[in-house]
Amino acid sequence: MAYDIIFFLAPDDETAAATRLRGPGRAFESVTCRFIEPDSAIAEWDMYFERPSAEVPPVEQLLGWSWPEWVTAPLNDGVEVFALPQRLTLALANAGSTELKELAHRWTTRLRAADGDDMTDDDLLAVLQGVARLAASAVSTGGGLYSWSY
């Protein structure tokens, strides 16, 4: 589980990769959260928009889904930088409040079942709403949406 997660906008993969050592910082528009697995969250969000359902998918289905790609190769320091898939960025940019609420509920249900009392204290709907705003900005500017975590 990642301690700190920052979803952020960057113009391209090279710029996003350059955040690896210190994180995106204030130079990038971002949304932060804590104590989640960003790669599984990204995969779950992508699955939701490809196959909308309020039901939590079986873990085997989630594990078999296409996971986000690294923009920097992972090292032993625990830092990861992922690019969100373009189709997910577009889906988040176009998502309505009902879709985001349904996805947040589904995501919360899965995390609570997996992590119990160790689940993040973040408001996951607020995280999704913030990431959706970033996605809309990425679509309008032609940039990309990324995740940095430690």
Side-chain angles (χ1 to χ4, degrees), residues 25 31 41 60 63 67 71 79 88 90 112 129 131 136 138 145 147:
V31 171
E60 299 80 22
L63 292 174
W67 286 54
V71 292
V79 174
L88 175 58
L90 187 58
R112 187 167 286 123
Q129 290 168 332
V131 174
L145 187 53
S147 167

Side-chain angles (χ1 to χ4, degrees), residues 1 35-36 110-120:
M1 180 173 308
F35 304 117
I36 66 164
R110 184 181 64 77
L111 290 177
R112 187 167 286 123
D115 300 336
D117 290 340
D118 292 331
M119 189 181 123
T120 182

Side-chain angles (χ1 to χ4, degrees), residues 12-82:
D12 52 48
D13 289 357
E14 184 178 332
T15 304
T19 69
R20 189 193 172 294
L21 294 178
R22 293 194 177 102
R26 295 176 190 217
F28 298 89
E29 190 176 349
S30 63
V31 171
T32 61
C33 58
R34 300 169 59 100
F35 304 117
I36 66 164
E37 292 290 346
D39 52 352
S40 66
I42 294 165
E44 183 164 348
W45 301 347
D46 190 43
M47 179 187 291
Y48 171 83
F49 287 108
E50 288 293 311
R51 298 180 186 164
S53 169
E55 299 299 315
V56 175
V59 75
E60 299 80 22
Q61 187 179 9
L62 181 61
L63 292 174
W65 198 255
S66 176
W67 286 54
E69 293 185 20
W70 284 292
V71 292
T72 59
L75 301 174
N76 289 332
D77 62 3
V79 174
E80 297 178 311
V81 180
F82 294 107

